[in-house]
Amino acid sequence: MDSLLNPYTPNAGASPGIIVGREEQTMSFTRLLGRLARGRTDQSMIITGLRGVGKTVLLNEFIDIARRERWEVIDFEASKHDDGQFRRTMFSQLRAALLLSPRARWSERGRWAAEVLSAFAVTANQDGFAVTWDVPPAEGLADHGDLGMDLTDVFVAIGEAAKEQGRGLALLIDEVQFLRASQLGALIQAVHKTVQRRLPLTFVGAGLPQIAELAGDAKSYAERLFTFPEIGSLFVEDARNALTEPAASEHAKFDDDAVDLAVEITHGYPYFIQELGYQVWEVAEGESITRADVEMAREAYEAKLDSSFFRVRLDRATPLQTAYMRAMAQLGSDPQKAADVARVMGRESTQLGPTRAELIDMGLLYTPEHGYAAFTVPDFDAFMTRAVPELVVPDVQRRRRRHPVDDAG
């Protein structure tokens, strides 16, 4: 078929031609904005799930919804920055939201919000940093030097300005698990205060499954402030629609047995569906897509996943980290106990604790329950057995004991 007409989008965060199976989340977000706009409260949400299930796509859908409702939107991807850099990022994003309204139209509350934001900026560190607008900082607000207190002052000031204008502000952050505990805690604290004040400002996030636990650790009341909907593979009918409807938009049709095989291969994961659909389109020759076309595309589909989606994660790992993941894969696709992984590697669990923690910090593993770890990427266990056919555990590196002669000079 014509590659220019290929309707599938196997790119990170790219919205597919059709979004299916996420109606509950989009309805919840629409209801959240509607209630906040009317001065009522509702729980915000942090979407959780593995890589490739469509969290970023869903956030992008939320952005479109918010803009249709005439809300201002701030969206960015979290990074492993210190609190000073996080403060600078928040200042830059919030300033952009304020400047969407010309200064000449700022009300007294709008100018006050800008002054509070300036105070927030100059307390980024002891020396401060250049504030690229000429709004003087407020005194006594957002200048405490405590990130949670300062961000709370900013959110309240901006929320009051937005309420006065009959608008709202939606802050959407992807990869929330990369926020430091102090940063996540500050966001939760600030949103909590806007809820108490019934202000039209909300924070919605997306991240890996450990986010619910991290949020609870950051602030004990997070579970009452947010819901943590987990999204995963699509139900069979939704997965079928995700495959067939983009093709139909270009006047092509999947045979029923071709769809059955495609759903079986992809397990209904949205990113996998896009990748397989793309490869099938490239090999199919007629308007009817057959089971033989799907079978022919399967090798290219797996090769593409191995060389990009999977490989970029394995390439970041040290030999010992690679061995740890290979041992997990050997045990199967379910979450694995740390002691069982250590047994396969011929090590003590305590010896491998730091390696396991490193893999969690890198976003390659998460802990669904105490003592267990699982891959953050679907089917990563199968990839590991293909990419690393044999488990090779590096020798234990022992520190050389210092001899008195070494200190003799």
Side-chain angles (χ1 to χ4, degrees):
M1 294 187 186
D2 189 344
S3 296
L4 293 177
L5 300 179
N6 195 322
Y8 299 96
T9 56
N11 300 302
S15 294
I18 176 175
I19 299 175
V20 296
R22 306 305 186 212
E23 293 80 10
E24 182 178 348
Q25 291 77 33
T26 55
M27 288 176 59
S28 294
F29 182 72
T30 302
R31 182 181 65 244
L32 169 66
L33 298 188
R35 288 183 60 82
L36 292 178
R38 289 165 176 76
R40 300 183 183 277
T41 63
D42 202 354
Q43 286 179 299
S44 188
M45 71 181 86
I46 299 179
I47 305 294
T48 71
L50 303 181
R51 301 289 186 192
V53 297
K55 300 185 299 297
T56 302
V57 168
L58 192 52
L59 282 188
N60 289 335
E61 185 71 6
F62 289 172
I63 291 171
D64 291 342
I65 293 171
R67 287 175 175 162
R68 286 198 297 269
E69 297 295 323
R70 297 185 66 250
W71 279 55
E72 304 295 350
V73 176
I74 293 173
D75 69 289
F76 64 93
E77 182 178 307
S79 300
K80 295 181 180 180
H81 289 150
D82 60 27
D83 287 355
Q85 182 60 49
F86 175 76
R87 189 185 290 262
R88 287 190 283 274
T89 298
M90 291 300 301
F91 165 72
S92 176
Q93 296 286 339
L94 292 167
R95 180 190 61 177
L98 282 176
L99 289 178
L100 287 174
S101 175
R103 290 197 198 191
R105 298 181 185 175
W106 279 358
S107 65
E108 183 176 341
R109 284 189 182 276
R111 176 161 290 279
W112 175 245
E115 292 174 358
V116 174
L117 184 57
S118 286
F120 177 79
V122 298
T123 52
N125 52 51
Q126 290 184 344
D127 300 325
F129 65 93
V131 178
T132 56
W133 63 351
D134 57 352
V135 178
E139 294 185 6
L141 288 172
D143 59 2
H144 314 288
D146 177 275
L147 182 59
M149 294 174 66
D150 292 346
L151 194 60
T152 297
D153 288 345
V154 171
F155 275 23
V156 168
I158 291 179
E160 289 177 343
K163 183 177 182 179
E164 182 184 53
Q165 296 297 318
R167 304 291 293 272
L169 176 65
L171 171 62
L172 288 84
I173 302 180
D174 203 0
E175 303 288 5
V176 173
Q177 73 278 354
F178 290 135
L179 293 173
R180 291 189 173 192
S182 57
Q183 297 159 10
L184 181 57
L187 283 166
I188 295 171
Q189 178 180 338
V191 171
H192 189 213
K193 182 59 69 174
T194 65
V195 169
Q196 292 175 334
R197 300 285 185 90
R198 298 178 180 272
L199 299 175
L201 187 153
T202 191
F203 155 53
V204 175
L208 295 176
Q210 66 262 37
I211 287 304
E213 181 181 357
L214 295 176
D217 291 343
K219 293 293 179 182
S220 60
Y221 50 78
E223 62 184 19
R224 301 191 299 276
L225 193 62
F226 295 90
T227 62
F228 297 89
E230 182 174 356
I231 62 174
S233 60
L234 298 172
F235 291 120
V236 172
E237 192 58 35
D238 289 329
R240 294 176 69 90
N241 290 337
L243 279 160
T244 60
E245 293 192 20
S249 70
E250 295 295 341
H251 312 291
K253 181 180 183 299
F254 272 83
D255 291 347
D256 287 343
D257 59 347
V259 182
D260 292 341
L261 179 58
V263 172
E264 178 185 331
I265 291 171
T266 62
H267 307 299
Y269 283 105
Y271 180 80
F272 293 177
I273 288 173
Q274 295 301 310
E275 188 62 72
L276 181 59
Y278 185 92
Q279 299 300 335
V280 168
W281 186 273
E282 293 301 298
V283 302
E285 295 181 351
E287 292 184 353
S288 181
I289 299 172
T290 67
R291 184 181 181 92
D293 293 327
V294 177
E295 290 173 339
M296 186 183 305
R298 184 171 189 167
E299 183 177 355
Y301 157 78
E302 291 182 347
K304 181 65 182 301
L305 288 180
D306 284 2
S307 64
S308 58
F309 186 69
F310 292 132
R311 174 61 64 178
V312 294
R313 290 166 171 83
L314 179 58
D315 285 348
R316 297 162 50 201
T318 66
L320 184 56
Q321 292 167 351
T322 297
Y324 194 96
M325 292 189 291
R326 179 59 177 79
M328 281 186 59
Q330 189 165 312
L331 289 167
S333 59
D334 295 330
Q336 303 298 335
K337 292 180 66 174
D340 291 340
V341 179
R343 175 179 50 77
V344 171
M345 296 177 67
R347 299 278 184 88
E348 295 295 328
S349 183
T350 53
Q351 292 177 302
L352 295 168
T355 301
R356 181 173 178 271
E358 290 162 1
L359 289 167
I360 293 171
D361 186 59
M362 293 165 66
L364 295 174
L365 301 181
Y366 74 101
T367 53
E369 57 182 301
H370 181 70
Y372 285 79
F375 292 116
T376 59
V377 179
D379 287 353
F380 199 73
D381 58 305
F383 164 72
M384 286 299 301
T385 59
R386 291 194 300 270
V388 187
E390 295 184 11
L391 172 61
V392 178
V393 181
D395 293 335
V396 177
Q397 298 296 314
R398 300 185 183 276
R399 296 182 62 184
R400 188 171 68 90
R401 297 179 63 183
R402 294 179 66 88
H403 191 276
V405 174
D406 295 336
D407 299 320

